[in-house]
């Protein structure tokens, strides 16, 4: 018997769905992702949104300039799709390696989506071009009709929007982002074998259900979109993520907001998981007895979908315990609260 803690070495993971923001917030949160992740798909929902090559180049430069010295982290940029997106600009950006993908927010679906797409019909020419050049479409999959219950918006989107979209664009490559329902899992499994559907799953949707948001009182830091669903959906997501199936991969949707913007009468959606992202996923995979599939989910399936090589370097996790960092100061005025702040997780990254 040895008392060495158990260790697990993986190819360095990537985060296929990340909000980094700009300015002081970017400076505060970027080091956490840069420490763990090789690459990240960076969401374009800034104010104003990243809608074209010029804005993406400016944003990419701001990220790179704020990386810790010696970091190998690579931001993969996305374009925010609007009713007015220019297909030529997207194609130029994709061919130049600036854009990795395009993000579709239905208008008013979530934070900073006011410029989102009002109807898929308005973006048909753009989708045709993306289909022709193999540029992936990343989808926030929720309908926005206020008469659809908030807990049903993803399942209704799959029926009303996503299914016809895949039929109308049979070669378009699509990622259903931050899946939260059993319906999403079933849909991705049905379409996965075509090779053109991927699906990201967040750590928080593997850990909380809708009751968690109201446990003992209202918990604004557990409010995100799509909102967490019933327990049966969380369990379906855990089975999917830990299955090793190639269409499911890591995307934290880590979405920092100042504490004041969360703890208020009308709080913002978003959960900040980046400081302990891989530790949170490791916890779930360990609880499910599936640590052997963590590398596929975190480090292999995403690159395979995006037709990129997996990272060459490795990270090592050790079962010696990790305390999730405390409140993080942003600029002396604002601060952000990491998910599970102050709590102990079983795995930690060995530096
Ligand atoms: O909870 C969320 N926060 N969901 C999103 O889709 C956007 C994100 C954000 O930007 O804060
Ligand atoms: Zn997001």
């Amino acid at each position: 018997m040895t008392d060495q803690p158990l260790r697990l070495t993986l190819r360095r993971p990537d985060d296929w769905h990340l909000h980094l923001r700009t300015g002081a917030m970017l400076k505060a949160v970027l080091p956490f992702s840069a420490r763990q992740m090789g690459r990240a798909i960076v969401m374009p929902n800034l104010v104003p949104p990243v809608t074209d090559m010029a804005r993406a180049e400016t944003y990419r430069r701001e990220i790179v300039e704020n990386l810790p010295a010696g970091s190998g982290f690579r931001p993969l940029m996305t374009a925010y799709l609007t009713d007015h997106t220019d297909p030529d600009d997207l194609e130029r950006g994709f061919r130049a390696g600036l854009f990795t993908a395009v993000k579709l927010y239905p208008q008013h679906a979530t934070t900073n989506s006011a410029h989102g797409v009002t109807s898929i019909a308005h973006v048909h020419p753009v989708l045709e071009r993306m289909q022709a050049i193999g540029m992936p479409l990343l989808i926030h999959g929720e309908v926005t009709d206020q008469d659809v219950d908030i807990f049903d918006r993803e399942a209704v989107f799959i029926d009303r929007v996503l299914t016809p979209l895949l039929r109308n664009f049979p070669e378009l490559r699509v990622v259903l982002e931050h899946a939260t329902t059993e319906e999403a899992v079933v849909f991705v499994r049905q379409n996965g074998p075509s090779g053109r559907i991927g699906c990201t799953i967040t750590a928080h949707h593997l850990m909380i259900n809708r009751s968690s948001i109201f446990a003992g009182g209202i918990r604004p830091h557990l409010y995100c979109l799509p909102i967490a669903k019933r327990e049966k959906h969380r369990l379906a997501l855990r089975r999917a993520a830990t299955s090793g199936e190639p269409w499911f991969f890591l995307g934290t949707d880590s979405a920092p907001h100042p504490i004041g913007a969360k703890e208020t009468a009308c709080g913002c959606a978003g959960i900040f998981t980046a400081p302990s992202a891989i530790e949170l996923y490791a916890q779930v995979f360990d609880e499910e007895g599936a640590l052997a599939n963590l590398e596929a989910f975190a480090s292999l399936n995403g690159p395979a979908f995006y037709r990129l090589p997996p990272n060459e370097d490795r990270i090592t996790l050790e079962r010696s315990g990790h305390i999730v960092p405390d409140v993080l100061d942003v600029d002396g005025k604002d601060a952000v609260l990491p998910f599970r702040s102050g709590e102990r997780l079983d795995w930690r990254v060995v530096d």
Side-chain angles (χ1 to χ4, degrees):
M1 275 288 284
T2 153
D3 58 4
Q4 280 290 343
L6 204 62
R7 286 188 162 211
L8 185 66
T9 295
L10 315 171
R11 279 183 190 263
R12 183 175 294 283
D14 302 296
D15 188 344
W16 300 98
H17 185 130
L18 178 63
H19 297 269
L20 286 173
R21 317 299 193 203
T22 56
M25 185 65 93
L26 169 70
K27 286 186 174 42
V29 303
L30 176 62
F32 293 107
S33 295
R35 190 181 308 150
Q36 297 197 342
M37 303 293 170
R39 295 161 288 199
I41 287 274
V42 180
M43 287 295 130
N45 62 331
L46 307 182
V47 185
V50 181
T51 46
D52 56 28
M53 280 184 78
R55 284 182 179 166
E57 187 47 60
T58 303
Y59 187 28
R60 199 192 65 82
R61 200 170 321 116
E62 186 187 0
I63 297 167
V64 170
E65 282 169 0
N66 282 291
L67 280 173
S71 171
F73 177 84
R74 277 191 43 215
L76 304 177
M77 309 309 288
T78 56
Y80 182 117
L81 187 60
T82 75
D83 288 356
H84 312 288
T85 296
D86 172 9
D88 292 335
D89 183 79
L90 285 190
E91 178 168 357
R92 267 197 305 279
F94 185 59
R95 293 202 188 282
L98 173 60
F99 287 135
T100 298
V102 174
K103 179 66 189 275
L104 165 63
Y105 289 103
Q107 192 175 42
H108 302 308
T110 186
T111 310
N112 301 339
S113 60
H115 301 274
V117 171
T118 57
S119 157
I120 296 287
H122 293 149
V123 292
H124 269 210
V126 177
L127 299 181
E128 266 156 26
R129 183 72 64 89
M130 290 170 61
Q131 174 171 254
I133 64 178
M135 186 177 195
L137 179 69
L138 318 183
I139 299 186
H140 183 110
E142 288 192 285
V143 293
T144 53
D145 322 26
Q146 295 304 302
D147 53 353
V148 176
D149 188 276
I150 185 169
F151 295 100
D152 297 333
R153 287 181 191 164
E154 183 176 278
V156 172
F157 183 92
I158 290 169
D159 278 352
R160 285 194 200 158
V161 184
L162 191 51
T163 301
L165 178 77
L166 292 188
R167 216 174 25 239
N168 293 337
F169 296 91
E171 309 284 322
L172 186 65
R173 313 188 71 243
V174 169
V175 181
L176 178 58
E177 298 287 341
H178 41 52
T180 61
T181 57
E182 190 168 26
E183 287 86 343
V185 167
V186 168
F187 179 85
V188 171
R189 284 192 165 134
Q190 277 165 356
N191 289 280
S194 69
R196 64 159 174 144
I197 286 277
C199 174
T200 54
I201 303 179
T202 76
H204 49 278
H205 288 114
L206 296 171
M207 294 186 134
I208 64 168
N209 62 27
R210 67 187 198 173
S211 297
S212 314
I213 307 168
F214 306 102
I218 191 156
R219 295 182 178 268
H221 294 283
L222 300 185
Y223 173 56
C224 65
L225 289 170
I227 197 158
K229 308 297 193 297
R230 287 180 181 278
E231 178 64 356
K232 72 165 184 173
H233 297 289
R234 186 184 75 101
L235 296 178
L237 293 170
R238 284 170 78 103
R239 287 191 296 269
T242 59
S243 67
E245 291 165 49
W247 25 87
F248 297 116
F249 41 86
L250 187 160
T252 62
D253 199 12
S254 176
H257 289 279
I259 290 174
K262 299 281 296 171
E263 298 176 5
T264 179
C266 187
C268 294
I271 299 183
F272 177 45
T273 48
S276 306
I278 196 65
E279 294 90 340
L280 292 165
Y281 284 107
Q283 182 83 29
V284 169
F285 276 67
D286 197 1
E287 286 165 5
E288 295 293 320
L291 283 171
N293 287 337
L294 181 60
E295 185 177 48
F297 179 78
S299 319
L300 301 174
N301 297 349
F305 178 84
Y306 279 94
R307 299 174 172 161
L308 294 167
N311 294 312
E312 275 306 325
D313 61 334
R314 308 289 198 270
I315 63 164
T316 297
L317 292 159
E318 182 182 80
R319 194 192 256 131
S320 58
H322 161 85
I323 305 292
V324 178
D326 205 344
V327 170
L328 171 71
D329 177 61
V330 174
D331 56 5
K333 294 196 308 285
D334 286 330
V336 279
L337 183 68
F339 179 67
R340 297 271 154 109
S341 178
E343 290 182 34
R344 184 185 181 282
L345 299 171
D346 289 337
W347 291 86
R348 80 175 183 93
V349 178
V350 180
D351 292 317

